[in-house]
Amino acid sequence: MFLSRFRLNTARPGARRLLSSPQAMHAAVMSSFPRLLPADGPAPDAPRVLWRLDQRARAEVMLYIVSPDRPDLTHLVEQAGWPAAAAADPENPGWQTQPYAPFLERLAAGEHWSFRLTANPVHTIRRKDGEPRKVTAHVTPVHQMSWLLDPERQKRGGFRILEKPQERRLLPHGTTQRGHPHHGDRYELSVADARSLSFDKSRRDGGSRPAKPVTVVTVTFDGRLEITDPDAMRRTLTQGIGRARAYGCGLLTLAPIVRAGRRPAAS
């Protein structure tokens, strides 16, 4: 397994095209693996290619990729990076890739980590009796947070979202009112960067009919978790969480918790 990081040059037209289309970004990411054919798909329990975009500032957008094979991002450097700078420094091809397996193998139950996850929180609904259930996105932060806090989802993922100490909660017991689904500030969890992505999905059968438009609602979760099942956590980190993984959702990453008054160690 490998973890890669690539910074997009947002001043270039190629970068703006990729950022405007999750389908184009997915195709660019999958083209980074010479041995992976377009029709290939992972086995249900096998590691897969996951990716996520993190926008730290208006001109700083990072692409993270977790993959079973080491990627070759030369085409991304040429389209959406700094190709002249990469050509001038043979030691820096324009992206960074590190083996992920050593980190995954060291994970242990009881460890606390900061995390980030971009996901597609959905549920199924039936508007009236007799009709099939329909997959529908959660659109409010309250329900999006509840999606990730679902006990079964956390158990399957091998983690538990940490609760805030009482002295750090702004609301009594961390909730707004008894029996209400709003979790208030009870948990070490925040929801931000909600987006609704709409695009036409390419038809694989070559038919002449236009493809049906696809809409994907994504949100980014930041928080702190405890590892409860290291094997399940490793599956989560290499297989992803939830739906729309081809469109930049599902990749969860961990980082050491930085305590107040302390600087993170250089990596």
Side-chain angles (χ1 to χ4, degrees):
M1 295 299 300
F2 296 89
L3 173 64
S4 303
R5 183 179 67 174
F6 170 74
R7 182 184 174 193
L8 284 88
N9 183 350
T10 57
R12 304 196 64 184
R16 294 196 293 269
R17 182 181 67 85
L18 293 174
L19 292 172
S20 67
S21 170
Q23 194 167 25
M25 181 65 79
H26 172 68
V29 169
M30 300 307 289
S31 297
S32 306
F33 304 95
R35 295 187 298 174
L36 186 64
L37 297 176
D40 289 349
D45 296 326
R48 59 190 299 161
V49 176
L50 301 169
W51 61 273
R52 186 183 77 220
L53 289 170
D54 284 3
Q55 184 162 356
R56 301 179 179 180
R58 184 174 182 181
E60 186 177 8
V61 181
M62 308 296 298
L63 169 66
Y64 290 91
I65 303 173
V66 166
S67 56
D69 299 323
R70 182 183 290 272
D72 181 351
L73 304 183
T74 303
H75 64 297
L76 277 175
V77 175
E78 295 171 348
Q79 296 175 39
W82 286 265
D89 183 3
E91 299 297 324
N92 181 14
W95 73 91
Q96 300 83 41
T97 295
Q98 296 180 345
Y100 205 25
F103 171 78
L104 296 173
E105 293 167 359
R106 291 195 302 267
L107 296 177
E111 292 180 342
H112 291 187
W113 293 88
S114 294
F115 74 90
R116 173 165 289 181
L117 165 69
T118 294
N120 171 225
V122 298
H123 63 134
T124 59
I125 62 172
R126 180 182 289 119
R127 299 187 183 279
K128 54 185 177 180
D129 293 340
E131 72 174 10
R133 300 186 70 88
K134 180 181 179 181
V135 176
T136 304
H138 288 301
V139 295
T140 67
V142 171
H143 293 98
Q144 291 163 348
M145 189 180 293
S146 296
W147 176 86
L148 187 58
L149 289 169
D150 176 71
E152 285 301 317
R153 192 179 311 281
Q154 294 186 69
K155 182 179 179 180
R156 291 195 303 270
F159 61 87
R160 177 180 68 86
I161 305 296
L162 295 174
E163 296 189 15
K164 291 181 179 179
Q166 286 287 348
E167 62 271 16
R168 289 183 49 218
R169 298 181 185 180
L170 302 178
L171 301 170
H173 307 294
T175 58
T176 54
Q177 60 185 21
R178 185 176 302 175
H180 195 276
H182 198 304
H183 298 284
D185 64 345
R186 177 181 174 185
Y187 293 94
E188 298 275 12
L189 182 64
S190 64
V191 180
D193 199 24
R195 299 184 181 184
S196 180
L197 310 175
S198 298
F199 54 94
D200 293 332
K201 188 175 181 180
S202 300
R203 292 177 59 89
R204 294 186 178 182
D205 58 8
S208 58
R209 291 182 302 166
K212 184 178 180 180
V214 176
T215 300
V216 177
V217 175
T218 71
V219 296
T220 298
F221 297 98
D222 286 292
R224 295 179 178 181
L225 59 75
E226 176 186 342
I227 296 177
T228 57
D229 183 336
D231 289 336
M233 186 80 248
R234 282 186 275 270
R235 288 195 298 271
T236 296
L237 294 172
T238 57
Q239 296 177 17
I241 298 178
R243 302 167 66 96
R245 300 179 205 185
Y247 304 120
C249 296
L251 173 55
L252 185 146
T253 53
L254 303 178
I257 294 176
V258 179
R259 303 297 179 184
R262 294 179 57 186
R263 295 183 179 180
S267 59

